[in-house]
Amino acid sequence: MTNTSPLFSSVELGPYTLKNRIVMPPLTRSRSTQPDNIPNDLMASYYAQRASAGFMVTEGTQIEPRGQGYAWTPGIYSPAQIEGWKKVTQAVHAKGGIIFGQLWHVGRVSHTSLQPNQARPIAPSAITATNVKVFIETGPGEGALADPSEPRALSTEEVGELVAMYAIAARNALEAGFDGVELHCANGYLVNQFISEHSNTRNDQYGGSLANRLRFLQEVVSAVSEVVGADRLGVRFAPLFASTDETRVYLGLVESDPHHTYIEAIKVLEQAGIAYLSIAEADWDNAPDLPEPFYQAVRAEFSGRIIYAGKYTVQKSVDILSKGYGDLFAFGRPFIANPDLPERIANHWPLNEVDATTMYGGTDIGYSDYPYYQK
């Protein structure tokens, strides 16, 4: 039986002392109130149920209307959305939890039906996303997977405007009561689209060399740090070293040299002095672990806290912690199905199984009705 006690040592994260090293990661659940994608009481109860996590990050939250790639996901750009998120943060804080809001822009991973005025999605370059699906509304409370629409390329001026939008969203997150923010720079979404050689063929200062492709990341991190403080900022990457033919609603891009690309990106974060780096590993069935030299290089280059996620088991978490590669460990599906996950891990109690059919959209069923362990 795995000795789980190392996962229950306290750890500093920026200005916060976390009660354990178990993280509830960003998990899209598509339960916001329609129209207008407003967080609600149901979401507040769901997050509050899981506040025994050492640290929580909200589902991806679009920073502007064009940032949406899936039906019914919440935003953080309108006054009503900010008020809705206040319910969530207050409910979590009442339970002694610490919660960051994840700031999200999907860029090209969207569909005209989700865009204002049915416009084309925006992207670094006019290259359509492949090997991923978006989720669109087909009727009230009804939806279906669809292929992303062809995007249009952003002008240089528009890229600067997007940097400012991230800063505004960060200010909104503070107003909503979040303890900090995480930038979603993973899974082939907007920031990742700028970084990737596959989705960025720009010829201005945001394209071409890797240094140029990392410029948008650097500018967004800098702008958001000025609002929330670098010590209350995290960044999420998904450095894929392999891919899959599975139909996915999110995935990412495999660079020709992923090790070099992401270590250079991590150097940008180290220079900015952010609180943590969250790394989402490949999570399809039989996906490979990250290469050992990559784990080693990430730790060597980044002095903040490191969170690992992606089908992590308790055993793998303890192993990575013992090697010193990671500090905190995120459990996605187990947290969906087990609101009391830390207690179950501590006591070696069995876990509820997740119901995949109620993952996205719907009611409290498969959301806030999963039972606590009954002794």
Side-chain angles (χ1 to χ4, degrees):
M1 200 175 275
T2 306
N3 175 14
T4 62
S5 60
L7 298 178
F8 291 89
S9 55
S10 65
V11 58
E12 305 296 314
L13 181 75
Y16 306 109
T17 301
L18 310 185
K19 58 200 170 202
N20 61 55
R21 295 169 183 265
I22 296 168
V23 175
M24 179 177 166
L27 297 160
T28 292
R29 304 303 308 279
S30 298
R31 293 307 204 280
S32 67
T33 296
Q34 300 305 308
D36 303 325
N37 300 315
I38 299 167
N40 52 42
D41 293 334
L42 181 62
M43 290 168 61
S45 64
Y46 163 79
Y47 282 105
Q49 285 174 344
R50 289 155 180 78
S52 61
F55 181 60
M56 313 172 79
V57 185
T58 68
E59 62 214 274
T61 303
Q62 53 260 13
I63 65 167
E64 61 135 336
R66 298 176 302 176
Q68 184 173 14
Y70 308 88
W72 318 317
T73 54
I76 194 158
Y77 51 84
S78 75
Q81 290 166 348
I82 295 167
E83 289 304 309
W85 280 118
K86 284 180 184 176
K87 296 176 181 179
V88 173
T89 59
Q90 288 163 5
V92 169
H93 291 152
K95 293 279 191 76
I98 294 169
I99 186 166
F100 278 32
Q102 193 195 55
L103 305 184
W104 189 28
H105 199 302
V106 299
R108 68 180 188 163
V109 186
S110 187
H111 190 272
T112 52
S113 68
L114 293 162
Q115 293 291 312
N117 304 315
Q118 282 73 55
R120 286 157 68 187
I122 56 172
S125 303
I127 303 168
T128 305
T130 57
N131 208 27
V132 292
K133 296 287 184 182
V134 295
F135 184 75
I136 62 171
E137 187 173 80
T138 55
E142 306 266 312
L145 293 175
D147 292 321
S149 300
E150 183 187 344
R152 68 168 183 85
L154 291 154
S155 70
T156 303
E157 184 182 12
E158 285 178 308
V159 177
E161 290 167 359
L162 274 164
V163 173
M165 285 180 196
Y166 274 96
I168 292 165
R171 201 165 292 120
N172 291 347
L174 293 183
E175 187 185 337
F178 284 109
D179 298 303
V181 297
E182 176 178 294
L183 298 172
H184 196 345
C185 303
N187 301 125
Y189 297 124
L190 183 66
V191 180
N192 194 181
Q193 288 160 34
F194 274 92
I195 295 170
S196 179
E197 66 204 87
H198 303 298
S199 48
N200 182 346
T201 56
R202 299 177 69 87
N203 54 19
D204 63 0
Q205 68 263 39
Y206 296 102
S209 67
L210 178 57
N212 279 1
R213 300 200 311 272
L214 291 170
R215 190 184 304 273
F216 183 64
L217 168 71
Q218 189 274 323
E219 290 183 0
V220 171
V221 167
S222 175
V224 173
S225 291
E226 284 183 26
V227 174
V228 302
D231 64 341
R232 295 202 286 168
L233 175 60
V235 165
R236 182 169 240 218
F237 287 146
L240 291 182
F241 284 72
S243 194
T244 176
D245 295 330
E246 286 181 18
T247 297
R248 307 279 292 190
V249 290
Y250 66 91
L251 186 60
L253 300 146
V254 184
E255 307 307 309
S256 55
D257 188 347
H259 182 103
H260 177 68
T261 300
Y262 280 96
I263 295 305
E264 290 303 306
I266 288 164
K267 288 177 182 176
V268 169
L269 306 184
E270 175 65 17
Q271 201 168 4
I274 68 168
Y276 74 86
L277 165 65
S278 175
I279 292 185
E281 298 192 30
D283 68 348
W284 56 87
D285 287 341
N286 304 314
D289 286 348
L290 289 168
E292 195 85 4
F294 185 73
Y295 286 121
Q296 294 167 344
V298 171
R299 178 51 92 191
E301 295 294 345
F302 189 70
S303 60
R305 297 298 175 203
I306 300 171
I307 301 173
Y308 277 104
K311 280 211 171 161
Y312 261 67
T313 61
V314 171
Q315 183 64 58
K316 184 177 177 182
S317 304
V318 171
D319 291 346
I320 294 287
L321 181 61
S322 70
K323 290 179 179 177
Y325 296 159
D327 304 293
L328 295 134
F329 303 93
F331 300 89
R333 286 172 174 235
F335 244 128
I336 287 175
N338 299 274
D340 54 347
L341 184 65
E343 202 181 357
R344 290 183 188 239
I345 290 172
N347 292 290
H348 303 280
W349 292 338
L351 301 185
N352 299 324
E353 286 295 315
V354 74
D355 175 8
T357 65
T358 54
M359 212 98 87
Y360 305 111
T363 62
D364 62 321
I365 297 167
Y367 187 62
S368 58
D369 69 340
Y370 280 106
Y372 292 77
Y373 184 72
Q374 299 298 319
K375 295 181 197 134

